[in-house]
Amino acid sequence: MILHDAVEALKKTSSGMGTEDGDLIFQKLNDPVCQFCKGACMGAEFGGCVAEVATPEPFTARMRLENLYDAPLKSQKTRAAALGALNAAAGFLMLSRKTGACNTVYFEDCLSELQQFCKGRAVYIIGDDIRGIPQTLDADEAELILIQGEAFFDEGLLSEIEEAVSAAKDGKKQVLLVGENCHGIGALLHLDVWCPYGR
């Protein structure tokens, strides 16, 4: 699974730095969430860097980063923990400069620019439909596959995500991760992320 791959990449990247002993602190925040994600905003703090993740099940917890390594990530809660930890750790390690969603004032600009980016291309979306972006119903016919941040919480979409990322690595498709949940995954797996106004 892509989340396991990203966690493994984090483990290798940070090996020898002592980060595995660092604490992760999760707590619910009142910040707005990305328009391409669902749920409530949860903060994940690591090494003083606070990153955000939109999740259907925000929670409060404290754990060590090493607890994430080899975790099964089968529930929405554990996948939210992984996404938050990846965002925070990537920010702490300066692999990603973005750790949260943009202000809602930028939503329309962000959407308009994404619509323009997709214009004239055969697009397949993993996750909810995106307003103003026509899509093909067959991923095999797509030139560009968009993976929304909320899709990682849908058990039925995980295999589609895997296939899309595999096709991207083989050079067969262009894949674009969309939204705040994807900052850490994108940085660690060298995948493109659409988040022009994220902070």
Side-chain angles (χ1 to χ4, degrees):
M1 178 168 71
I2 185 174
L3 278 175
H4 287 293
D5 293 343
V7 169
E8 186 60 28
L10 173 61
K11 185 177 179 180
K12 288 179 181 175
T13 301
S14 61
S15 178
M17 296 182 184
T19 54
E20 66 276 3
D21 297 324
D23 283 342
L24 278 164
I25 302 168
F26 297 98
Q27 60 184 337
K28 185 174 179 181
L29 302 176
N30 292 321
D31 293 359
V33 299
C34 173
Q35 64 184 313
F36 304 113
C37 298
K38 287 181 179 176
C41 184
M42 183 174 72
E45 181 179 350
F46 181 77
C49 178
V50 179
E52 296 174 355
V53 61
T55 171
E57 296 183 58
F59 56 88
T60 300
R62 187 183 195 108
M63 60 183 262
R64 287 182 180 258
L65 183 61
E66 66 180 355
N67 296 140
L68 188 63
Y69 302 155
D70 303 318
L73 309 181
K74 291 184 178 179
S75 69
Q76 288 188 344
K77 191 172 182 179
T78 56
R79 288 199 291 271
L83 288 166
L86 291 167
N87 285 351
F92 172 75
L93 294 170
M94 293 187 286
L95 301 174
S96 172
R97 69 176 186 82
K98 295 180 181 179
T99 55
C102 66
N103 189 291
T104 55
V105 73
Y106 297 112
F107 278 14
E108 283 303 315
D109 287 340
C110 176
L111 176 60
S112 174
E113 289 171 27
L114 181 58
Q115 290 167 345
Q116 191 61 36
F117 180 81
C118 295
K119 192 174 182 178
R121 306 168 82 177
V123 178
Y124 182 80
I125 302 173
I126 300 177
D128 289 343
D129 292 347
I130 298 176
R131 178 167 47 94
I133 299 181
Q135 64 172 313
T136 176
L137 299 178
D138 187 348
D140 291 334
E141 297 174 359
E143 302 167 59
L144 171 65
I145 298 177
L146 304 181
I147 302 173
Q148 290 203 60
E150 50 91 11
F152 292 98
F153 297 107
D154 188 330
E155 192 74 35
L157 297 178
L158 296 179
S159 60
E160 270 195 278
I161 293 172
E162 285 301 304
E163 289 173 18
V165 171
S166 179
K169 288 181 179 176
D170 292 341
K172 297 175 182 174
K173 301 283 181 188
Q174 182 181 2
V175 165
L176 188 61
L177 303 175
V178 182
E180 69 175 316
N181 286 2
C182 306
H183 293 147
I185 294 174
L188 288 156
L189 296 183
H190 310 290
L191 296 168
D192 293 330
V193 179
W194 181 268
C195 188
Y197 299 99
R199 51 186 171 73

